[in-house]
Amino acid sequence: MSADLKARVLAAAAAEPSPTRAAVNQRNVVISMVAATSIVGALMIFATLASDGQLVRLGGEVAPDRYVERSVWLLLTTAGGALGIVAMALWFALRRGRSMLGRSRGSLLCGIVLIPLALFAWKIGWSLALGDSMVEWPERTGLKCLSLSLLVAFGPLLAFLAMRRSAAVRPALNGAILGSAAGACAWVAGDLWCPVSYVPHVLLGHVLPLFVLAGVGAVLGQTVLSLRSVASTRRTLGEPRTGGQTFRE
Amino acid sequence: MERYSIGDDAAFAELYDAIAPRLFGFLRAATRDEFATEDLVQQTFLQIHGARGSFIAGAAVMPWALAIAKRLMIDGARRRRVELGLFAHPSIDGDRDASPPAAMAAVDDLLDATRLERRVWQRLEALPEIQRSAYELVKQEGLSLKRAAELLGTSVTAVKLRTHRAYEALRAVLREGGVS
């Protein structure tokens, strides 16, 4: 190890100030607020375009002369429970446990699968118990809900990636779990807006987006969270390279 | 690292003293290139410096630092592979630390040994990335299977298997060369 390496490292670090934990926490609070605002904003825009501004819908016409209602209790139960699952999903996705390497591959994969499953099971379970909104709604295949979920989740996904910034290992899986968590946030918005509990509709419009977002998150994670080597750190400090351009030369 | 993450800038020098030698050893064994090693050490510390605000209180620093170093090394190698179109192969007369003890050997033995060394290096290069990484971490860097598994993001069993396969591949080269 050359004697001046330490001096170079310290000089390079001093030349590029980095945020402390307090600054990062403050930044994350701001990003979270922006993400929350983007969720509400996206839901409002979508509701304005698709349902005359109705953010919460308690029923609709299933067929001519047949109106199905979603009770307030069912809405509160499914949305409230989904909020709880979202809170756990966010904790799981944004926290890295006790290691700087983050969660294991197995637990990340479990999270990506279990988050949509838990949300689906919660909604269908309570819909079976508390309402009759599980009937087929021929005009509501789920494509609108699919677009709603993707639109609403877009902001949170970018926010979560900004909060994570980098992942030394498994960047794609870390991105995927962030996508899944963003999709979970969108689930709550979709649950408020959509009164349909018909299983194929829920699978297409509410569950599928979570897997799509996990895929998008994986791609973005691999791109954004991966560590990148700098071409030459010495060059920035004014020292020309004289060799060692490739490994095992 | 904990002190550094909350804003004690002076702690960075102590952090360097604590982890740089091992980091340097790891990278030196992997790259066998002094200049590239120093470059990667510096980049690794800059990544740690940039991420200090995200450091988890009480977390181990060394596995994180090694993971960053390994990722940067792979990324750098990929970048060069794209730039050059191929990996450079080791030369016969390169200044390897592990050169055969030529002083007492006959010229033929020396040539045989050099050729064999070249074949071993080529075989190591040709190994799948996952096997080579596992082999380098466990056999060259001397990490435990558990630590190597953490770094590679896989299970201990998988690391053991990959290392064993790499080891067997290299042994096969030695057997072909008449070394038991």
Side-chain angles (χ1 to χ4, degrees), chain A residues 84-105:
Chain A
I85 295 170
V86 168
M88 284 190 282
L90 289 176
W91 172 82
F92 183 81
L94 293 172
R95 306 284 295 181
R96 281 168 296 179
R98 285 175 296 176
S99 165
M100 284 304 289
L101 296 179
R103 300 188 188 281
S104 69
R105 181 190 306 271

Side-chain angles (χ1 to χ4, degrees), chain B residues 69-85:
Chain B
K70 181 170 179 288
R71 177 53 48 195
L72 293 173
M73 187 173 64
I74 291 170
D75 184 62
R78 279 186 184 145
R79 178 180 295 178
R80 275 184 291 277
R81 183 166 54 180
V82 170
E83 286 171 359
L84 299 175

Side-chain angles (χ1 to χ4, degrees), chain B residues 14-42:
Chain B
E14 292 175 39
L15 177 70
Y16 180 91
D17 292 336
I19 67 172
R22 186 147 178 223
L23 195 59
F24 189 89
F26 166 70
L27 290 166
R28 182 74 183 82
T31 64
R32 294 183 284 280
D33 180 327
E34 193 86 13
F35 194 94
T37 300
E38 290 197 357
D39 231 15
L40 286 167
V41 167
Q42 184 169 336

